[in-house]
Every structure is written in structure tokens, then in C-alpha cells.
Amino acid sequence: MSISKNNHALYTRHEFKEFGGEFSATTYQIPKLKKGEVLIKVNFCGVCHSDVHIHEGYYGLGGEKKLSLLERGIKPPVTLGHEVVGTVVDVGNEEDSNLIDKQFLVYPWIGCGKCVDCLNDKENLCVTPASIGIFKPGGYAENLIIPSSRYLIDIEGLDAAHASMLACSGLTTYSAINKIMPVSNGDSVVVIGCGGLGQLAIRILSSMGVENIKAVDISEDKRELAALSGASETFDSADSEAVEKILFASDNRCAAVLDFVGNDQTVSLGLNVLKKGGELVIVGLHGGELKYPIPVIITKAISITGSYTGSLGELNELVTFAKKVDFFNIPVEMRNLDEAERSIFDLAQGNVKGRIILENN
Ligand SMILES: [Zn+2]
Ligand SMILES: [Zn+2]
């Protein structure tokens, strides 16, 4: 098959032209691919809760405080969609032509590709991000150009629609877990917040052989689900004695806390249950401020780490892991690509059970 056969063909992106504004289906022309670039036809694109925030133009930081996305360099028009599975239809490099017609998961957290972080597989931490579906056009579109074939991950053997979610919720969870592994025998891991990511964390931890998983949530339903997912014990975060109960149940051996909520109360609970040398990994973006006695951090030798998405290497590891262990059984609702706007609206209203995945037929 010859390369660059798609030059000047037309395709549609479902984009918004101002934050909070309507989506419009806009036609673009496929440019001549630059060296190394890869053109894919989008097959599936997950609708992530962060897409709702990007559309709104800010992340809430607790109370009235907001983190403006315009100030962070995200400029409309924006084509959302960072959970993309697609088929390669064209390549800029002759040596990539063996990829044509094959289906891949796209690593979306792309950086500049040149700085020391990018060269050390920390592209998700690059100071000049080019993330797909945020800083660059994403998968709410018929086609997508990827800067290099190295961002394509083979998902053969996996359900392709499901695999799209590995790029964001899966990777975010896996990268947080990666920061606390290995867990010594007898030590406990505390998972705070048992929504989608928390449940996923419990399933991944337990399939990695971690036995003492303490799950914390305010909702009884979610605590029950956590127990089904593999938590050894569950605790109500609203219980004023939650810290004491967790310390007792873990025999004062909480080596790590994964906080998928990330507000004042959960961070403080996390710090208060950690054993000496323990690590608190904060993933949730609910916001707030950290007030904690500094000498205790030192004398207990505690680490506090933020975790944001994950690296290309970690996504490759996660996909390999997913091919061996079926931990990713999340209910999904398939919708057509042109229902992107309605999907964002429904998600913002809380009218969605499980995950929406857009399908480009
Ligand atoms: Zn996401
Ligand atoms: Zn970089």
C-alpha cells in the first residue's frame, strides 16, 4: 500500500470553539504527513470525566477556587478525546508502512519529545505538553494524526473498545500503584475513594498479589463493591474513629495510601494512618490545602507524591498486564461519534452509569 494516499482528504472533528460552548462538526483537510507522523482512523474514543472539565475550561480547586485551563495554555477550538483506539491508514515514513491496517491504542500524554524528561520516558511530565485531546486535537473525530508510531500500542487479544480506557483511567491508576510497589508481606495499602479509579486500583493490587487492601469510602454501596473487588476490609471515611480503626486493623503497618479523592480530609486521613517510611500518593483532584506538622513528616520519614497520568513505558506494561489478567470489567455504553456533545452533557449531569465510549463507524 502506498503512503500519503490520504493527502487533502476531508474528515470531521467534533470540537468546541469556546469553553462551555456548543460542539460543532467541523471539516478539516488531512495535511501531507510529516516524517514520522501516522494517520489513524479513530475506531473508539472513551469519554472521560476530565473532558467535562476541559470543556468547562477549569478544574475546581475546592470552594470557589478554580484552575483556569486557558492560563495553562489550552486554547479553543478543542477537539476532546484522549482515550483513542484506531487503525493506521497512512504513514509519513516508508518504514512504518507495515503498521497500515493494524489497530492500536494511542498513548495520549505526549510531550515535546526532546527535553530530558521526554527522553527519560516521563513525557507526561514535560513542561511543553502536546497531549492528545487537550493541547492537540483528540479522538472525538474521524481521523487523528499521531506525531510518531512509538505512541501506538499493540492491543491484539484485548477488547478494543474497552482497551481505550487503559490510556487514561487505567494508566492513572497503574502509575499510582507503580509508585508504591513492591508492598512487603504483611503491610497494608489503603485505598481512599472507591469510585471508578479506586475500584480499579483494588482489582489491580489484588491481582498483583497484595493481600491487605483497606478501602475507605463514605458510601456503603461503594464499600460493598470494594470488598467484591478484593479489599480485605472497608472503612467509612465519615466515621470519626476511622484512623484508629484502620491503624488497628492494619496492625500499624500501612505502607502506602492511594488517595483518589484528594481533599483536606482524605489527605489528612492518609497521612495519619501511614507507618514510618510510608508513602501517600495523591491522585484525586478534589482540591483543598495541606496542613500538617512538618516535623512529623521528617520523623516518620513520610513521602507525599502527586501522580498524574503515567508514562509511555507504564502504558506498555499495563497493556501487557491486561492481556494476562482480566481486571478491566467496567460497564460501558457505546454511542456514535456524533453523540459526543450529548455524552459530555450527560456525564456533567451525572446521568451515566459506567463509561461512554464513542464509536466511529
Ligand atoms: Zn481521562
Ligand atoms: Zn519534553
Side-chain angles (χ1 to χ4, degrees):
M1 196 171 298
S2 70
I3 63 169
S4 300
K5 64 188 164 56
N6 291 282
N7 287 355
H8 313 305
L10 299 176
Y11 73 107
T12 300
R13 290 188 207 153
H14 296 268
E15 62 181 23
F16 62 84
K17 292 188 166 53
E18 54 183 293
F19 288 119
E22 285 179 5
F23 282 54
S24 60
T26 309
T27 303
Y28 285 85
Q29 201 173 51
I30 293 170
K32 183 175 182 338
L33 293 183
K34 294 190 197 110
K35 213 167 163 40
E37 285 182 337
V38 177
L39 174 73
I40 65 165
K41 174 197 168 277
V42 174
N43 296 330
F44 303 104
C45 185
V47 179
C48 176
H49 208 95
S50 61
D51 290 343
V52 173
H53 298 299
I54 299 165
H55 177 236
E56 285 168 344
Y58 60 86
Y59 279 101
L61 291 177
E64 292 294 297
K65 289 185 195 164
K66 288 175 181 175
L67 178 69
S68 156
L69 296 181
L70 192 63
E71 283 167 24
R72 291 196 67 208
I74 301 173
K75 293 186 192 78
V78 174
T79 307
L80 292 166
H82 51 266
E83 302 180 356
V84 185
V85 166
T87 300
V88 175
V89 289
D90 211 344
V91 291
N93 270 3
E94 192 69 58
E95 50 269 36
D96 282 333
S97 51
N98 61 321
L99 305 176
I100 290 175
D101 291 338
K102 291 193 180 132
Q103 180 170 254
F104 295 94
L105 172 66
V106 176
Y107 175 77
W109 314 109
I110 295 174
C112 70
K114 295 176 200 133
C115 72
V116 73
D117 288 319
C118 284
L119 295 176
N120 285 316
D121 190 27
K122 293 180 184 166
E123 287 202 45
N124 55 315
L125 305 181
C126 178
V127 292
T128 45
S131 320
I132 287 168
I134 300 173
F135 293 96
K136 300 281 178 194
Y140 292 12
E142 291 173 330
N143 288 92
L144 184 61
I145 294 169
I146 313 292
S148 162
S149 60
R150 68 193 209 90
Y151 301 115
L152 301 177
I153 297 169
D154 171 22
I155 49 165
E156 211 183 324
L158 293 176
D159 177 286
H162 258 84
S164 65
M165 294 180 287
L166 291 170
C168 183
S169 51
L171 179 60
T172 299
T173 308
Y174 182 78
S175 180
I177 290 173
N178 216 10
K179 293 178 172 72
I180 63 158
M181 293 303 277
V183 176
S184 304
N185 250 348
D187 277 354
S188 286
V189 175
V190 177
V191 174
I192 304 178
C194 301
L197 267 61
Q199 300 289 346
L200 193 55
I202 294 166
R203 285 202 297 273
I204 295 177
L205 283 165
S206 94
S207 38
M208 285 176 165
V210 177
E211 286 174 358
N212 300 320
I213 305 168
K214 316 291 185 217
V216 182
D217 202 285
I218 203 159
S219 142
E220 196 180 340
D221 288 354
K222 287 187 181 157
R223 292 200 298 273
E224 278 172 17
L225 266 178
L228 290 174
S229 293
S232 50
E233 273 161 293
T234 67
F235 302 87
D236 182 354
S237 37
D239 182 346
S240 60
E241 289 171 13
V243 169
E244 290 72 21
K245 288 180 180 168
I246 294 166
L247 287 172
F248 181 75
S250 62
D251 205 13
N252 291 311
R253 286 183 62 185
C254 292
V257 174
L258 302 175
D259 184 356
F260 292 100
V261 180
N263 67 22
D264 307 29
Q265 290 84 23
T266 58
V267 165
S268 136
L269 185 147
L271 288 169
N272 286 324
V273 297
L274 279 180
K275 72 169 193 172
K276 283 192 178 179
E279 182 158 25
L280 167 67
V281 180
I282 309 171
V283 182
L285 272 164
H286 273 78
E289 271 164 320
L290 175 57
K291 280 214 174 84
Y292 194 76
I294 294 167
V296 179
I297 297 177
I298 299 154
T299 54
K300 281 179 74 180
I302 287 171
S303 310
I304 302 172
T305 311
S307 191
Y308 181 68
T309 69
S311 70
L312 176 59
E314 285 172 324
L315 186 54
N316 273 299
E317 282 171 29
L318 176 63
V319 168
T320 304
F321 185 63
K323 287 178 182 177
K324 288 188 216 141
V325 183
D326 181 22
F327 59 83
F328 216 61
N329 54 348
I330 292 168
V332 297
E333 183 187 337
M334 304 302 295
R335 293 190 183 179
N336 198 280
L337 179 62
D338 54 23
E339 293 177 273
E341 181 173 29
R342 181 169 75 85
S343 302
I344 287 292
F345 182 79
D346 287 348
L347 201 56
Q349 301 293 310
N351 293 337
V352 180
K353 277 189 184 158
R355 294 286 279 200
I356 296 173
I357 297 177
L358 301 174
E359 196 170 4
N360 174 33
N361 293 312

